[in-house]
Amino acid sequence: MTESPGLNNTATDSTSVGSFECISSSSSSFSGKTTAEGQFDSPMTDAAQPSSEQDNSNNTTTPINEDNENNNNKDNEQQPQQQLAKEERDVLVETQKTTQLEEGQKWAILDNGWWAKFAEGEPVGPIDNSLLLIGNNIKPGLSEGNHFTTVPDTVWKKLVQVYGGGPEIMRSVVKNYTNRYQIDLKIPFMLQFMKSSSLQTIVQIPAYKHETISSLKERACKEFQLKPEDVRIWDYYNQNKYSELKDREYVSNSNFIENQHVLLEERLADGSWPAVKQNNHQQFQNTRTGSARPGITGLNNLGNTCFMNSALQCLSNTPPLTNYFLNNTYVQDLNKTNPLGCNGDLATDYASLIKDIWAGTLNSVAPRDFKSQIERFAPQFAGYHQHDSQELLAFLLDGLHEDLNKVLKKPFIEGKDYDGRPDDVIAKEQWQMHKARNDSIIIDWFQAQLKSKLVCPVCSKISITFDPFMYLSLPLPSQTQKQFNVVFINKDSKIKATTHEVCLIAQTSTGKDILEKISEQVSIPTKNLVLCTFSHMSSSFKIVDPKQGLDNINNRDSVIVYEVETDDEQNPLVVYQQVVVNMKQQDSYYSSRSPFILSVPSTVKTTGDLYKVILDRLDAYLNRAQIDEIFNSHSVEQEEEEEQEDNENDGEKPEKQEHDSEKAVETNASASNADSVSEDDTTTPMIGPLAPSHMSSGSGYFHSSNGYNHSSYASSRSGMDYNSYGYNSNNRNVIPADKKDPRFVFQILDSTKNLMTSIPTTKIGEITLILDNGNMIDTDPLNQAFSRTHPHREVPVEREVSLKRCIELFITEEQLGPDDPWYCSTCKEHQRAFKKFDIWSAPPILVVHLKRFSYKKYNREKLDTLVKFPIEDLDLSEFVLDKSSPKPVYDLFAVSNHYGSMGGGHYTAYAKNHTENKWFKFDDSHVSEVHDPNNVETEAAYVLFYRRRDTAAPATTAEDVTMDLKVNSESSLENDDSNNNLNNTTTTTTTTTTNI
């Protein structure tokens, strides 16, 4: 077993591996101490420093000083922000997607919201990474994709050159413990350290998932002034010694929870360690009441370990393998010198876990020690992220095989060519070659042979091999369609929004197809429907052209169809234009996540007309009681103001009075037809309840079609010149509070974010409503409509297939792709050969992997096709070529299930307990009986376990298993001692197992 590499293939520097990358010009040694502001000191790393004087001079990123940053942002906002052309933007986005990681590369951390808007083509201002930081340090708990994204340093430099801003947060590419490249994000989480001699003193120290326990321990010991060689480090969760942490392990391999306790246990004065009570995976077990039930035992979820629990329960209910471990037969086969194994530790820990499960006295056990062993053998499963149960199963079977391989020294055997020899001769020859190097119970029970045939398309050369297989990975019919979850919003705001499912092939469909589907479901013509998308990532709202394709719609975008007006039956000359309307609170920087489409008729000539149309559209969302109360209260104030002005005018000169009298006549004449406003009259904005300036208060109320009486509070009377108060992104107070009429339900901004003072003669464009009083309009119904949709997903065209249909797809001949050619020894070059698989022989235990996950360039999808598989009598005779082997008739005994999507989800297992001859569902620590075996056939079935019928034997009773455990536990120590002698010589005996 090779040792896992560290972060840099060199000796770990404890002062830098676990430190923060500082974003300032000074450096200091990191001690883990907290500063007065609650931050920690951190050293400057090379990733944060300019590489040369030239780089330093060109550095336009914002200093970390907050005052400077705010001043810089203000300066940037005072002038229009320069934007990259679409072609340049697309190049940067593509570079970010396709750049391959290489060790030593520099990548910058960038605010996710800013990048999402940039990638979507939205106008953006200066880069602002300040929300990602606490002081000079990146905030704990942030995650890529949710809070930030990473871009190559070349992309970062270009973005800063054009947009400015900052601060710069640069990270390096390293090799992780799985020997793969990744960006060392250095996102810390805090732990509470204490030492055994003074448990009252607690020091908060940051930890990093990709540092070793040794590195973390050294920094902690430095803080406590202890020698690392005299300290053991313990997971001290809830102030109990949960498990000792080994120096070579990684922090991600632990089960740390943020801010939990960690104990530094000091060596005693005599040089010994304090006595430790045995603490393994039996901790947190709970004792079963009543009689023992072997195998009916759950497995605790250690943190996203349901995938492991599912695979373990399936293997646990594999009778030949379980019996092999319960009887301690495995002890004599342990291979502790195999460099490809785990020194026998994986098999030993697996045996211990199986004995706990089959003791029958526990409701559940926590497989912590076993998880540590699987991580040693397959470090890609380190930590507590979700993984694939089939991948875990493959590594586990391979690991058990290497730990139990009876071949201590593998001979070198040169393969032979096909040369036209009979298939059975070649198959037997290659199986013997395989067995000469691999001989274990895993090989005996789980492996058989596949026939692989390659034919050169140029010279017709044939190559045939017989390769061993541990499981069959069967494809599912791959043609899929996307299920769009569409929200339909009626033009009548009183009608609640509804959600509809639309299934289309995204690659070949357009927006028109969605509109036609929705049209059928809501009985509204497509001409009265508008398709839109709303990105929750960038808060961008777009109208989708009916001719536009659907493959660019993100799975998490909301898809909305609005009913709109397109014609007026009573007046054919009226033409409608569709306007995007955003809403925003007066004191908020962000728009509401509930834009809508407004149908504006050509009869709208003034902003007052537009105001009425908007009120009609938002009718159901208006708070009538509050609006009426505000309007009524200000009508009294208006009358008092008018009386005061009239009294003042009584003392004026006769000429002035005559002039006012003439004006009053004109005003009253205009008031008699308040709704007939001259098309040329655009001198006063009709914003909110304002009537034209020539409309007197005596003209009554401004009537909307919904019956609202909006007082004609004339701007000339109030002394307010609303046109003088423009709006831009730097001035949130559109109209000063002391000059604002409280009766304004909203103010209308045009596409340039200024107060709309007139209706454009061409196209209105996008408008924004500024809600002065958040209680006057209730946007919750629209917000709920936007948030109620689930992510769109790929669904199969064939919703149901048989298992045999999947096998037929597996053995179908196909041509190799251009990226995976085969070297033809006759042509002396790589060719796209035709390849065909066949099942040559069938193993005693057949593991079938249903390939539900499809991998595309930028995303992965799950196929929820229902695969119909038999519980009993699966006959593969038509597919198995070797007719001399036992008849391949199988019975199902276990299923690993996956529920949910590719990005998350949950694993469970169904398994048949051979002692009780009943099916059970294993859901982590919970176990329940399945009364109808047919219920195990679901769309979630992922890995199937079958046993060949000729290998079955009478079921073992629970009493037999319990007695075997008792007898074998007494002799386990003797077998362990004798095994040391067995490992000194090569054994050629075959594995003998007892069928149960």
Side-chain angles (χ1 to χ4, degrees), residues 377-653:
F377 178 74
Q380 61 267 43
F381 297 108
Y384 293 88
H385 300 289
Q386 184 67 280
H387 293 282
D388 189 304
S389 68
Q390 185 271 333
E391 291 180 1
L392 184 279
L393 177 70
F395 280 105
L396 175 55
L397 290 175
D398 192 25
L400 289 176
H401 158 66
E402 296 296 353
D403 266 7
L404 300 169
N405 193 353
K406 294 191 286 286
V407 179
L408 303 184
K409 186 176 181 180
K410 297 184 178 184
F412 173 77
I413 303 174
E414 186 175 358
K416 299 180 181 180
D417 292 334
Y418 167 59
D419 294 335
R421 294 180 294 161
D423 284 353
D424 57 341
V425 173
I426 302 174
K428 183 177 181 181
E429 177 184 274
Q430 294 190 357
W431 182 252
Q432 290 175 345
M433 292 166 55
H434 177 64
K435 287 280 290 185
R437 295 172 56 84
N438 303 277
D439 186 10
S440 71
I441 185 175
I442 304 300
I443 304 299
D444 294 342
W445 281 93
F446 289 86
Q447 287 198 355
Q449 284 179 294
L450 289 176
K451 177 184 176 181
S452 175
K453 180 180 179 181
L454 287 166
V455 180
C456 178
V458 178
C459 67
S460 299
K461 174 182 171 60
I462 297 176
S463 172
I464 294 179
T465 58
F466 291 83
D467 302 314
F469 72 92
M470 190 100 68
Y471 47 86
L472 284 179
S473 286
L474 302 182
L476 275 62
S478 58
Q479 187 176 10
T480 63
Q481 55 187 353
K482 180 169 284 190
Q483 176 181 298
F484 293 95
N485 297 298
V486 183
V487 176
F488 172 70
I489 298 180
N490 197 284
K491 66 180 180 181
D492 186 350
S493 59
K494 297 185 182 69
I495 300 177
K496 291 184 177 181
T498 55
T499 304
H500 305 263
E501 290 185 357
V502 174
C503 292
L504 296 167
I505 299 177
Q507 293 79 6
T508 58
S509 300
T510 63
K512 180 182 178 182
D513 297 312
I514 289 185
L515 293 178
E516 290 177 347
K517 293 279 188 179
I518 296 298
S519 175
E520 294 174 1
Q521 298 182 35
V522 300
S523 301
I524 295 176
T526 55
K527 68 175 184 177
N528 293 106
L529 300 177
V530 173
L531 177 64
C532 302
T533 60
F534 180 76
S535 171
H536 296 273
M537 182 74 72
S538 61
S539 296
S540 60
F541 182 82
K542 296 180 180 178
I543 296 179
V544 179
D545 189 302
K547 298 179 181 179
Q548 180 180 328
L550 305 178
D551 52 340
N552 289 328
I553 296 180
N554 189 283
N555 282 352
R556 296 192 176 276
D557 288 351
S558 289
V559 176
I560 313 101
V561 171
Y562 293 90
E563 182 187 10
V564 297
E565 297 281 359
T566 56
D567 51 36
D568 189 338
E569 296 180 356
Q570 298 179 354
N571 189 353
L573 297 179
V574 175
V575 179
Y576 286 85
Q577 62 172 304
Q578 313 307 328
V579 178
V580 176
V581 181
N582 297 298
M583 290 187 284
K584 186 166 79 169
Q585 295 294 335
Q586 173 73 22
D587 57 351
S588 173
Y589 180 79
Y590 298 100
S591 297
S592 168
R593 289 179 176 249
S594 52
F596 62 92
I597 301 296
L598 180 70
S599 299
V600 180
S602 55
T603 54
V604 170
K605 302 300 182 182
T606 67
T607 50
D609 297 337
L610 179 60
Y611 182 81
K612 287 197 299 180
V613 174
I614 296 173
L615 281 182
D616 290 343
R617 180 66 178 83
L618 298 177
D619 179 35
Y621 309 137
L622 298 176
N623 187 332
R624 293 172 180 262
Q626 185 174 14
I627 293 174
D628 288 343
E629 180 182 352
I630 294 176
F631 274 44
N632 292 335
S633 64
H634 279 75
S635 295
V636 176
E637 297 177 7
Q638 178 181 345
E639 292 175 1
E640 294 176 351
E641 291 178 5
E642 291 172 353
E643 289 179 5
Q644 183 178 356
E645 291 181 7
D646 291 339
N647 292 334
E648 294 175 353
N649 291 335
D650 289 340
E652 294 182 355
K653 293 181 179 181

Side-chain angles (χ1 to χ4, degrees), residues 282-289 297-298 300 361-366 925:
Q282 295 182 358
Q283 186 155 353
F284 296 138
Q285 295 168 346
N286 42 83
T287 304
R288 187 193 306 278
T289 58
T297 306
N300 293 347
T361 59
L362 304 168
N363 288 320
S364 65
V365 296
S925 59

Side-chain angles (χ1 to χ4, degrees), residues 691-745:
S693 60
H694 55 263
M695 186 184 295
S696 72
S697 62
S699 63
Y701 289 85
F702 182 57
H703 296 277
S704 77
S705 61
N706 291 313
Y708 281 109
N709 293 326
H710 296 162
S711 175
S712 56
Y713 190 73
S715 61
S716 61
R717 286 287 202 176
S718 64
M720 299 187 227
D721 182 7
Y722 291 93
N723 287 328
S724 65
Y725 299 102
Y727 174 86
N728 58 55
S729 60
N730 294 324
N731 180 13
R732 296 181 184 176
N733 294 318
V734 180
I735 297 178
D738 60 344
K739 295 184 178 182
K740 191 185 307 179
D741 187 338
R743 289 171 293 177
F744 275 61
V745 177

Side-chain angles (χ1 to χ4, degrees), residues 323-334 968 975 991-993:
N323 187 58
Y324 172 79
F325 285 101
L326 293 181
N327 291 334
N328 283 335
T329 309
Y330 79 96
V331 176
Q332 64 185 13
D333 293 336
L334 282 176
N968 288 304
N975 289 334
T991 302
T992 303
T993 58

Side-chain angles (χ1 to χ4, degrees), residues 284-350:
F284 296 138
Q285 295 168 346
N286 42 83
T287 304
R288 187 193 306 278
T289 58
S291 58
R293 300 188 69 185
I296 316 299
T297 306
L299 295 172
N300 293 347
N301 193 320
L302 305 178
N304 281 329
T305 56
C306 57
F307 74 97
M308 181 181 74
N309 294 345
S310 175
L312 286 173
Q313 292 290 11
C314 292
L315 279 186
S316 171
N317 285 278
T318 304
L321 186 63
T322 294
N323 187 58
Y324 172 79
F325 285 101
L326 293 181
N327 291 334
N328 283 335
T329 309
Y330 79 96
V331 176
Q332 64 185 13
D333 293 336
L334 282 176
N335 187 337
K336 296 185 177 182
T337 61
N338 187 353
L340 301 178
C342 297
N343 301 322
D345 293 338
L346 180 63
T348 301
D349 265 40
Y350 180 78

Side-chain angles (χ1 to χ4, degrees), residues 18 51 61 136 180 184 351 394 446 461 512 583 602 626 645 675 832 892 905 916 960 972:
S51 58
T61 56
N136 294 342
R180 297 177 181 176
D184 187 10
F446 289 86
K461 174 182 171 60
K512 180 182 178 182
M583 290 187 284
S602 55
Q626 185 174 14
E645 291 181 7
D675 290 338
R832 292 183 59 195
L892 186 76
E916 298 190 13
D960 292 337
S972 61

Side-chain angles (χ1 to χ4, degrees), residues 18 31 88 185 212 291 308 374 475 478 563 662 666 705 730 788:
S31 65
E88 293 180 283
L185 298 173
T212 62
S291 58
M308 181 181 74
I374 198 70
S478 58
E563 182 187 10
E662 293 175 0
E666 296 176 0
S705 61
N730 294 324
R788 70 174 54 175

